[in-house]
Amino acid sequence: MSRHQYVRNLDYQDAMDEYEGYTEEEDELSPEDRVLLNQGTADVQAALGVEASKVTVAQIEEALWHYYYDVDKSVAYLTAKFINPPPKAAKPAIRQPNGKSVTSSWRIVGAAAASRPAPSVSHLFRDMPWGNIPKHREATLVPPPMPRGGLLGGSGTQPKLSKLQALAAARKKKAEEKTADNNKPKAAEAPTGKENVPPSAPLNKRVRFSGSATQDRIVAIMTPAVPSQPTQSDLQQQSDVAAATPENEPVLKATPSAFARILCGLPSDDPKAKASMGETPLDPSLFGERYGPDNKGRPPEEPVDSTWWFDIHKRKRDDSGEYEEVVVLYPNLPQDARDNFALPSPDDIVLAAQAKAKPKAGQRTAAAQSKKKSTHSPETVAAAVSELKVDDAPLPKSRGLDVLSEFEKSKGKKNASFVVVGHVDAGKSTMMGRLLLDLKVVDQRAVDKLRKEAENIGKGSFALAWVLDQRPEERSRGVTIDVASNRFETKNTVFTILDAPGHRDFIPNMIAGASQADFAILVIDAGIGGFESGLKGQTREHLLLIRSMGVSRVIVAVNKLDMVAWSQERFNEIKNQMAGFLSAANFQDKNISFVPVSGLHGDNLLHRSTDPAASWYTGPTLIEELENSEPNARALTNPLRITVSDVSRTIQSPVTVSGRIDAGSLQTGDAVMVQPSGEKAYVKSVLVDEAPAEWAVAGQNVVLHLSHIDPMHVKVGDIICDPANLVPRADTFTLKALAFDILMPMEVEVYRGRLQVGGRIEAIPALLDKVTGQVIKKKPKIVKPATVARIVVKLEAQVPLEAGQRVVLRSGGQTVAAGLLE
Amino acid sequence: MSDRRRVNGPAGTTLPPVFDDAVFEKLDTRNGRSRPPNATRKLFLKTGVTPSASGSAYLEIESSAKPGVSGLKLSCSVHGPRSLPRSAPFSPHIVLSTHVKYAPFATKQRRGYLRDPSERDLGIHLEAALRGAIIADRWPKSGVDIIISIIEGDQDRETSKLQGDEVWDMMNALSGCITVAAAALADAGIDCVDTVAGGVAALVQDAGDGSTPSIVVDPIPSEHEQILAACCVAYLPTRDEVTNLWFRGDLPASDLELYTSIVEHGIQASKNANRVLIDCLSGTVG
C-alpha cells in the first residue's frame, strides 16, 4: 500500500482513542514511578540535611516529578524556591557573593554530588536551575575598555600622541595647573591614591587592584584567574585535575638565553632583569656550545652589546705621521678565513660581468668569434660566464616526429585565412558577424543579447558587428580598432577570419592582419555616395596594401545592395570601376570575383538571396567563392619562421605566444630562437586552432607555450625561428619599393606584420623599370608616385629582417611605399 | 641562475661530525621526563623586540638540560591595524591574517622558504585562537598581519625513532605561537577581551605498550615512549572560554572523561603560560 493510500485509509477515530487511552493511564502513577519517587524523596531529604524540614514531602515530590527524578536539580530547585529564596528587592548590581550565607549551602550540595561519579563537564551545569541562576555564577558583563589614546603602534613605550591630542593635553594641563594654584593647600592634602595612576598604565593598575576584594569584579577582565578570588568552577576543576598547581604559584618565568639577550638587548635597558639574572652565569651547554666567538664554547666575556665582531685598529700612514682607523671584521677569526671574504664573492663576479656584458648583447657573436684570439681576456670570460645558464626545469621532451610526413598523413582540412578590408563603415564587421551567425559559430541567443546591449546605447544595427568587435572602446565608437580573428569550418577548409579595421587611424593594425592572410575580401558600400567616398578613402589604400603584402586573390563583396533595391545597374557600375582599378593595381583577372551581398540580412553570404529583386544574380555565393579560393602554397620545407602577434601569460607557461607560422614546421620539444633578442627557448606545448597538437606546419595559426626563456625577451613583432637557421638582425636594409607618394630621403615608419619601427630613408640608389626590373636611372633625387625604386632604409633599432619579406613604409599617417626586401 | 640571493642549504639532513671527545658522554636518547607531570617548562617572554613593527614579542621555552635538544624560540610581529587595500571588499570587522613560518634551520628536517601545508595549518589554528580574543568590530575596514617566525622548533635532534609524526611538535609550537601572538597584540595596543594563551596536554605511555597511560602537561615527545593523544588549547582565563581546541589522537570513544580531563590539563597549562604573559605585560606596558 502506498503511503498516500495509507494516510487516506487511516482511521482517525481509532488513533484518537488510542491516544486518549494513554493519557487516562497517565493520571495515576505506575508502581515503578511510585518506587522512583519514594527513592528520590529520600535522596533529596538526605541531600538537604537539616534544611529538609523547610520543605514538605509534597513539594519534594512535585519537584522530582518535574525534573524526572533528577535529585540534583530538584534539590537546587527546592533550595532556591523554599529554603533560600533570593531577595526580591533590587540588590546593588555589583556585589561580592557572600560565602557564608548563600554559597555555603551550594558547597554542601557540590560535595554531596562530587561523591558520585559523573563526567566532569557536567559539573559545570550541575547546580544550574533553569531561570534562577545563583548570583555568583552569573557572568559580569563589563564594557570593553575604550581604545587607549594616542597613535597606534609602538613597542612597549608610552603611546604617541597625535598633534591634536598633544594640544588638548597641553591645554588641559594648563587648566589644571591654574586650578591647582588656586587651591593649593587643598590639593596638597589630597591623598595620592589611584587617581594618580597614569592612564597609560591600565594593565598594571588592574593587576595591582585585583587583590582587593571590592574591586575584584570590575577588574576581572584581563586579570588571570589565579590571583583573584577563585570561583567555584575553578575550584572544582582544580580538584578534578590531580594534584593541581597550587594557587599563587610563582610565575614560571625563565631567564633569557644568550640568543634572547642578544635579541632583546636585556642587560642595557632592563636593570631589574639584569639584577635578577646578572649573577647567574649562562649555561654554555644550552646555547652556543662550540659556537662562541673563539670557537671554544665560551660565552662572550665582555657584554654582548660590545662589538666583538669588528675591531678598529689604528694604522700609521706611510707618508705622514698621522694615524688612520681601519675596521677589521671578525678579528677573532684566523687570517685565512678572513681572506676568503676580502675578495668579491663569486656572485659579485657574476653580477658585475653581467652588468658589463649587457650593452654588448648585440655583439655577443662577435665576442664569441674573438674568443679564439684572446682566450683569457676578462671580456671573453665575462661573456662565457654570462652565457652560462642554470635552469633546473627539465627540457620538454621531443617525440622526434617527422612533421612533414605526419602532415601528409593527417589529411586534415585545408587551412586558409582571409582578411576583410574596405572603407570605414562599409559593413565589414557586420558582414562577418552575419556569416558567423549563419554558420552557427555564434548562436542566435548571443546575438540577441548583443542586440539588446546595442539598443541600450542606441546602436541597434551594430549588434552583428559586436560579435567580432569586443573591446569596450570599439563598441562605444562603433568602429573596429584592432584585428579580430575568428574561425569557422566548411566541408573541407578551416577558415580564419581576420577582420581588419577600416578607419585610416588604424592602418597599422590592418597591415598586421593583412600580413597573415592568404586572400582578401574587399567590402564595398554600394549605397548612394558610399562607394564614391570609399574609393577616395581607404578602399584604394587597402587594395594597394594587400597587394603589396603579397595577397593576390581578392573577392569583392558589393555590400548593402538591399539599400538600392538590388539594383543591377549599380552593381555593374561598381564592378566596372573596380575591375579597372584592380587591374591597375596588378591583380590578375582570374583572381578577382564580385559578389552582390547584404551583410545585415545575410543575402548571398551562405544562402542565396530570397529577394525577387536579387534574382538576376546567379553566380556563386560568398562562401562558395571562399571555398574555391586556393590558399597560397606553403613553404613547408623552409626554415621555421613565426611572427609573434601576441604575447601573454597563461597557466601553462609565463611566455605564451601566438602567431602564424610563415614558413617551416615545428613540434613540441623543439628548441627555437627568438629574434632580435637572440634568446633560446623550448616549445613546451603547441595549440593549433585552440586544440592541443603535437606539431604544426606553415599556414596554421598557433599558440606556443615556451619555456626556459624570460618574458622580457619576447615581444610582439619578434620572429621565432630555427636556431640552426637564424633570421639575421639588421638595422639597415635595401628595399625594392613601389612608391605611392613622393619619396625622398625622409623619416618613415616601417611596418612588417605586427612590427613597427621608426626609420629613415638613407639613400635611393636606383630607379627601376616596373616590369623588367632594369635600372633606369641611378641615384635619383626623388621618386615619383607609382614608380619602382630601390631604396635603403636605416632603422632606429635592430630588427629581424630577411630577403623576401614584405614591408610597408608610412609617413605622416599616409602609406608612402611598399615593397620587398632584397 | 635561480635563487642566487639566498644561500640554500642542502634539502636533506646532514649529520654534523661528532668527534670522539670526552666532553660528549654517551647520549641517552630518552631519559624520561624530568619535571612533574603537571609542571610546564619555564617561559621567557619579552615584548617590543622589533622596533619597526606596531607590536612584537619574543618567546622562548627553555629546553631540557640535555644537549642537542633545542627549545622553542618564537618571534612574533604585528603590523597594523592598517587600512585595507582599496581592492579589498568592505569588512565591518578587523581582517586578521596570520602567517606562521618555520625558519629553514628550525627543525631537524630542513624547511623550505615557502610555507608548507603544516605551517599554513598552524596559521589557521592561530587565527581561530586569536579571533576569539580580539574585539574585532572596533576596527572596521582595517586589517592586521600577525607574522610569527619559529626560530627554533623544539625538536630533539637525537631522537632516532620518529614517533608517529611531527604533529606533537606542532602542538607545542602552536601553543607558543598563541601566547606570543597575544603578547604582541597587547604590545600593538589592539583591543582584546582577554589575554589568550596556549597550553598543551598529552596522554602518554611511558612503560611499554600495556602500561597505564598518564596525562602530562607540556609534553616533549622525546621524553616519552609514546604519545597516545594530545590537545592544544587556547584559553581565556577570566572569561573561562576556550577559543581554539586542537585534539589529536586515538582514544577509546567510551571514555569521555579522559577527553575532558586532557582538555582540563591543557587549560591548566594555558593558565600557567598566561601568568607569565600577564607578568611580562605588566612589566612593560605599565
Side-chain angles (χ1 to χ4, degrees), chain B residues 43-45 47 57-59 61 74 76 126 129-130 148 172-186 195-199 233-234 269-270 272-278 281:
Chain B
L43 304 176
F44 171 71
L45 185 64
T47 54
Y58 170 78
L59 175 99
I61 299 181
L74 303 172
C76 172
L126 178 65
L130 296 179
I148 294 185
N172 274 344
L174 177 64
S175 82
C177 285
I178 293 166
T179 313
V180 75
L185 279 176
T195 50
V196 64
V233 185
S270 147
N272 284 343
N274 211 297
R275 242 175 294 153
V276 180
L277 180 56
I278 291 296
L281 291 180

Side-chain angles (χ1 to χ4, degrees), chain A residues 205-227:
Chain A
K205 189 168 150 192
R206 287 185 194 126
V207 173
R208 197 174 314 149
F209 289 159
S210 62
S212 68
T214 51
Q215 292 282 327
D216 198 8
R217 293 181 71 84
I218 301 174
V219 301
I221 259 187
M222 299 282 280
T223 321
V226 180

